[in-house]
Amino acid sequence: MTFLGIPTASSTGHLRAPRTFPEAAHDALGNAQLRRNLGDATATIRAKRAGVVAELPDWEQLRAAGAAIKDETLAHLDEYLIQLEEQVTERGGVVHWARDADEANRTVVELVRAAGADEVVKVKSMATQEIALNEALADAGITALETDLAELIVQLGHDAPSHILVPAIHRNRSEIREIFLREMAGVDPALTDDPRALAEAARTYLRRKFLSAQVAISGANFAVAEAGTLCVFESEGNGRMCLTLPRTLITVMGIEKLVPTWRDLEVFLQTLPRSSTGERMNPYTSMWTGATEGQQFHLVLLDNGRTATLADPHGRSALRCIRCSACLNVCPVYERTGGHAYGSVYPGPIGAVLSPQLTGVEHNPTLPFASSLCGACFDACPVAIDIPSMLIHLRAQVVDAKREAHHTPTPEAAIMAAAAWTMNRPRWWARGLRAARLSRFVRRRRALPPPLSAWTASRDLPDPPRETLRDWWQREGGVQ
């Protein structure tokens, strides 16, 4: 039998960056307004999260429990997915399996057409953004309206999300007011940038759409395999309107969003709100099982590279992610560049490890390097994903791929090989460290000559110590 391999995500969707991270980050760093917006927003969320997390004396135990539940689910994912399908089908729903973005989009378009609709309302969904569902619907002549306030701002502004939880985090109130005045039909021309006034304008605009829509499309935060129940966490109530009013409900969910039992969901009901919005519990937690009375329900289970990620023992824990954004809010790189620089629907530290694995690292080779490896993301993650170790693992894959692609060593590879040779010889290594002190005399130079100029162009050279540790140890009478 011919082995066909495990497919990664298709080229359709928003996972592959059109530019390298350094190129995009360079432009973002020149936008002072963007950095101010990001700095204010992430600092506020960090402070709220720290307060509610500190209230729980068993937070670390909850993290460990969340990680264990996710790992157990991933280890038996095939069994739990079948169980979920059986439960959803038994309760009147229809389950569709999608290998990649193209299959998922085609399935949703056919379902909307079968319902006779040319307009749909949407609940905020990372999975549908990942597969570029709105664009696929538009190509089929179907209008998709985002009902989450932040997603609505992004959609009306013809923009792209820059944060998993707060997609319009890069916009301030004045910018949002201008977008509403320009794009929102029937809005009061005297609209101010007061948050209450902006929310009321969006509520009035959306209410008419909720009442007229025949089809709604959602994602799902979790699915309980033993019951066939799906769950959406949200803060505005728009999700509940979408889930209950239209006659047809279509949910697109990544296959990793499962938990085996109701008991398992208890852990994430505590950790997700605290890690995402800094709240003890979500304002709206909607759950539904199969088709409700008078409503058709379809569940589209999306792979799109997740099976390939699961196959990597060093990278599969990225599938534990519950999309809380805690890692984004503590990341010094994200805070300065924003989400657009990552070029993927999943920005920040989790995007730097998840996107390359879903697409294949060759399609996102610069994202694993978009990190200082400070470890703040690991400390903040409510399911204890060791993102720094995963980044190093993916960087090694990028380096290996470059080595195989070049018949002659690159300057970087030659330098690293020389460093490895020296470090394996203590006497030569000690001489090298002493020689490094001479670099104090060239420290005032802003750049080194090629090929080292590429390294110094984006880094500050640290001051070498006046004395090496070995020399200090010897001077203090230590044993060699």
Side-chain angles (χ1 to χ4, degrees), residues 131-394:
I131 61 177
L133 178 61
N134 285 9
E135 291 85 341
L137 290 170
D139 291 342
I142 300 167
T143 302
L145 178 70
E146 298 288 351
T147 63
D148 174 85
L149 177 57
E151 290 287 358
L152 179 65
I153 294 166
V154 169
Q155 186 178 42
L156 292 177
H158 308 287
D159 203 351
S162 63
H163 191 279
I164 292 175
L165 184 69
V166 194
I169 195 172
H170 55 290
R171 297 288 193 183
N172 60 32
R173 289 186 295 168
S174 297
E175 292 173 314
I176 295 169
R177 172 181 172 274
E178 294 301 319
I179 291 171
F180 280 10
L181 288 174
R182 187 177 66 243
E183 301 288 342
M184 190 178 281
V187 72
D188 183 357
L191 179 68
T192 69
D193 64 359
D194 177 68
R196 184 183 294 272
L198 294 172
E200 186 59 35
R203 183 178 294 114
T204 303
Y205 175 73
L206 290 172
R207 188 57 58 96
R208 296 189 292 270
K209 303 294 183 182
F210 286 132
L211 295 175
S212 63
Q214 295 300 308
V215 177
I217 298 174
S218 82
N221 292 100
F222 299 100
V224 182
E226 69 172 0
T229 299
L230 288 99
C231 176
V232 163
F233 289 26
E234 43 115 4
S235 302
E236 301 165 9
N238 64 298
R240 187 159 296 177
M241 302 278 276
C242 286
L243 296 170
T244 55
L245 290 177
R247 309 314 301 168
T248 300
L249 173 61
I250 304 168
T251 298
V252 181
M253 186 188 82
I255 57 174
E256 83 282 16
K257 292 297 188 71
L258 284 175
V259 294
T261 67
W262 283 108
R263 189 67 180 270
D264 299 322
L265 186 62
E266 290 179 8
V267 173
F268 302 106
L269 287 171
Q270 299 174 77
T271 54
L272 179 55
R274 282 180 163 82
S275 295
S276 55
T277 54
E279 296 171 302
R280 297 182 183 89
M281 65 179 295
N282 258 71
Y284 295 90
T285 302
S286 299
M287 299 184 186
W288 68 101
T289 305
T292 57
E293 185 176 354
Q295 187 185 56
Q296 294 184 19
F297 172 58
H298 297 269
L299 172 61
V300 180
L301 292 173
L302 175 69
D303 187 322
N304 208 36
R306 286 161 175 79
T307 303
T309 304
L310 186 62
D312 183 351
H314 301 290
R316 67 178 54 148
S317 62
L319 296 177
R320 293 180 192 164
C321 179
I322 57 175
R323 311 289 193 266
C324 69
S325 308
C327 61
L328 278 68
N329 300 326
V330 299
C331 177
V333 176
Y334 174 85
E335 186 171 309
R336 285 157 181 79
T337 65
H340 293 163
Y342 294 80
S344 165
V345 70
Y346 301 115
I350 188 62
V353 296
L354 186 58
S355 300
Q357 293 192 90
L358 292 177
T359 62
V361 73
E362 68 274 15
H363 295 293
N364 277 304
T366 59
L367 285 186
F369 297 88
S371 170
S372 64
L373 299 180
C374 67
C377 50
F378 180 36
D379 294 337
C381 179
V383 286
I385 301 174
D386 187 355
I387 293 176
S389 296
M390 210 175 298
L391 287 166
I392 293 171
H393 167 63
L394 294 173

